[in-house]
Amino acid sequence: MLVHSRGGRWTAWTVFFLLFLPVFALPFLVVLMASFATNWSGAFPSHPTLTHYQDITKGDSLNALTTSLWTALAASVLALVVGGWAALAAERLRGRQRRLLDTLFMLPVAVPSVVVGLSLLVAFSKPPLLLNGTREIVILAHTVLVTAFAYQSVSAALVRLDPAYEQSAASLGARPAYVLWRIRVPLLLPSLTAAAGLCFALSMGELSATMMLYPPDWLPLPVQIYGATNRGSLFTGAALAVVLMVTTLIVLLGMGRIRTRASYR
């Protein structure tokens, strides 16, 4: 911590909790309480039940969770490959070319995600690439939306990379491909895992573009949460939201362990 005095640290922690609890922690606590509620007519919910969670373990809710996991996993891998490779290719660019490439990758983040969904809906509504009504267009939309974060993460890591390692390998006769796969990629592994975790988390919670593109047989969990709350089933939607948060957190913790091992390596 940048504050060294004991009184300053206590003040910083007090301000942190005063801001953290009402702004961040309290909304999550309300959702968690609502997921166990049967009725909520007073200050606190009443008649706690596990029915909402029991319903999730069967039927459409479990399928929606599996769909979200597969979509987020596929989008994260694709975004990491495309964004990481583009960052490596853009490392040598300077001036207008580099700014143009950065703008192209950041454009899907700069516009609302519903615009991205509409653009994909129009672009792939006719042959030869007819993807409307397929799961592939949902995965493509998620990939487009999260690739910018992979690109930026790898680009920032490349700036901090010590060129002495690859220069030493090249001076010993190593080919560029060998330097890339045996030296640069292992050094970038912590940044790659961090980018994958960010892409996964963003994909798991994406709703706007998904609402425009998803087919009936590929229903992600955020869409089902929206549908449940829109029908007035707020407690069921809260339980689904808790499952979404916990699942995402578990995957991120696993990626965090991989990143830690990669850092020590």
Side-chain angles (χ1 to χ4, degrees), residues 9 39 53 56 74 87 90 93 99 113 129 151 166 169 175 180-181 196 248 251 263:
R9 287 197 297 270
N39 187 27
Y53 288 99
I56 293 175
L93 298 180
R99 290 194 297 269
S113 58
L129 290 176
Y151 173 77
E166 56 182 299
R175 295 182 178 181
L180 174 64
W181 294 113
T248 305
V251 175
S263 300

Side-chain angles (χ1 to χ4, degrees), residues 9 26 41 92 131-132 134 144 151 175 179 198 258 260:
R9 287 197 297 270
L26 188 59
S41 57
R92 307 297 182 184
L131 297 180
N132 288 353
T134 65
V144 171
Y151 173 77
R175 295 182 178 181
V179 173
L198 178 60
I258 296 174
T260 302

Side-chain angles (χ1 to χ4, degrees), residues 85-105:
W85 192 263
L88 288 169
E91 187 181 12
R92 307 297 182 184
L93 298 180
R94 295 292 183 272
R96 183 178 300 178
Q97 292 179 333
R98 181 59 185 266
R99 290 194 297 269
L100 178 61
L101 188 62
D102 291 343
T103 302
L104 289 176
F105 273 93

